[in-house]
Every structure is written in structure tokens, then in C-alpha cells.
Amino acid sequence: RLNTLSGKKVGFISNGKEGTLGFFTHLDNLLRSGFKVADVIWLQKANYSAPAEAAIIEQAQAWDLAITGLGDWGSCSSCSLHDAISSERIGTPAVGVMTNKFVSAAELMAKVLGASDYKFAIIDHPVSSASDAELAEKAGRVVEFVEKLILKP
């Protein structure tokens, strides 16, 4: 785990679904202003219902933290969690982001991948129809999970 995010490189692996742009924009701003991250890399996978392409996961090796999502439907939830676990397996700490309606899909994927104890961020559903203020609140909630799951106490 990390001592700090200050000066670190964070990468987003987005599934590109509706609402993700606003969510990740707020998260980017919070990480830069609150944690002084050095850089935020934005990548979008080609298919939200499939795991990230190998080239994206390879790029994650150069990051200090990966944040994947958003899981706000069945297949995109399990695939976003797959992306987080894949990042962890190449040595990059990762936080998968799921909505509360699809926690079970994410938990099942973690179990299938042999990581049944893997913890991820949970935000309120939905994302696609959320207002900008609601997306900002959801991003703030993910920051709390990053502090809890990634940063050393």
C-alpha cells in the first residue's frame, strides 16, 4: 500500500458508460487538489462488458494507483472489478468502483478470480442519470475508499 498519493501517477480505466465522464472529472479534480497527485491518466476500454484490453493493463504497470469503473450494471460491474484485480496482479494497487445495486456481481467476479476477499469502493446507484452534484458526491465517496483501502494509516 502507499504512504501518500502526493507526487504519484493515478490511472483511470473507464468503461465509458453514461455518467462516467462527469464522475471521473470530479474524481480527477479531488485527487489533484486534495492529494496533490502528479498526473492522472485517463483510458477507456473498447467494450464496457468485457475486461480491459491487455494494452491497457500493461500501461497500468507505470501507475502508482489504478481506479476502475464504473460498475453500475451487471456485466460492466464484473468486468470493472476484473480490471482492478488484473491491475493488482501486475503490482499496481487498484480500487474498483461499483454501485450498491451490483455489489453481488462484483463479489462473484472476485470469487471467480480467486480474490474473494478483495475490497472495492461502493457508491450509490445510479450513475448514468445522476446530476453533476450527485456525481461529485459519488467521487468524494470514492476518495474515502481510496484513503481506506490504499493509503497506509
Side-chain angles (χ1 to χ4, degrees), residues 43-117:
L43 297 178
Q44 182 174 315
K45 53 192 200 172
N47 182 346
Y48 61 79
S49 292
E53 299 86 349
I56 289 177
I57 299 301
E58 287 174 22
Q59 289 183 55
Q61 289 180 319
W63 305 342
D64 298 295
L65 170 64
I67 300 178
T68 69
L70 285 162
D72 73 337
W73 204 248
S75 60
C76 67
S77 299
S78 55
C79 291
S80 290
L81 192 75
H82 188 286
D83 300 338
I85 292 171
S86 294
S87 296
E88 290 272 358
R89 287 186 171 156
I90 60 163
T92 301
V95 175
V97 182
M98 310 300 137
T99 66
N100 56 355
K101 297 271 186 183
F102 295 95
V103 167
S104 61
E107 289 173 337
L108 181 59
M109 178 56 76
K111 185 176 181 179
V112 166
L113 292 174
S116 57
D117 293 334

Side-chain angles (χ1 to χ4, degrees), residues 112-125:
V112 166
L113 292 174
S116 57
D117 293 334
Y118 186 79
K119 305 292 184 224
F120 48 87
I122 303 168
I123 59 175
D124 289 338
H125 187 82

